[in-house]
Amino acid sequence: MTYQFDFGAVLQYWPLFLQGVETTLLMSFWSTLAGFVMGVGCAIARSSGGPLLRRVVGAYVEVIRNTPLIIQSYFLIFGLSSVGLTLSILTGAILALVINITAYTCEIVRAGIESVPRSQREAGECLGLSPFQVYWHIILVPALERVYPALTSQFVLLMLVTSLLSAVGTEDLFGIAGNIQALTFRNFEVFVVLWVVYLAMSALVRGAFALAGKFMFVRKRKLGTLL
């Protein structure tokens, strides 16, 4: 039997696909923003904090990095509701993504911070810079420059793994695609459209990060080494 392709039957639901893209990008944006801020804070705490703080942050990082995101999301959305703390599915999904990406961002940024030579820090102190100026200009900004490509890849991956959270009921792109499958019975065509849309979204997100990096890291822009 010859299979008859019918992309028209799938593409007529383009408003639903757009709704899924919007939800996916919304989840990715807020998760990336919050995860970056919290991840940098955790990296600073783990590299420069007291012994107890380093152990607490280190335990958090290990627990999150060694458990599946889907389990974390089930715990936040369905587990907490069992004890009376109810979150909406979208809120719980974004919170799960934030908690997850924070741990990975922490380790990436921490590696960048620890890669800054001590002699570079001492040079800043010899120039009469304050401790804050030394940490900001000599340690943190150069560290973020070094790990920016790795952070970009991690945040693009975050956007892609939002598809997992359709399992808890999010109406992201993958979740919407499942509904369209049920309506059209055109599995092959739906997955081809998904493939193309996810590729386009990845290129869009990576391009946005490249553009942002040109504004944030002037030295790398001048050297032409950004991403």
Side-chain angles (χ1 to χ4, degrees), residues 135-156:
Y135 201 88
W136 180 263
H137 295 289
I138 306 299
I139 300 175
L140 188 57
V141 173
L144 290 175
E145 281 186 327
R146 294 182 183 189
V147 301
Y148 191 71
L151 284 175
T152 296
S153 295
Q154 192 65 50
F155 292 142
V156 171

Side-chain angles (χ1 to χ4, degrees), residues 40-50 54 57 106 109-111 113-114 121 135 139:
V40 171
C42 288
I44 294 172
R46 197 168 186 193
S47 60
S48 305
R54 288 201 300 268
V57 175
C106 172
V109 175
R110 183 175 72 93
I113 290 173
E114 294 182 352
R121 309 181 189 192
Y135 201 88
I139 300 175

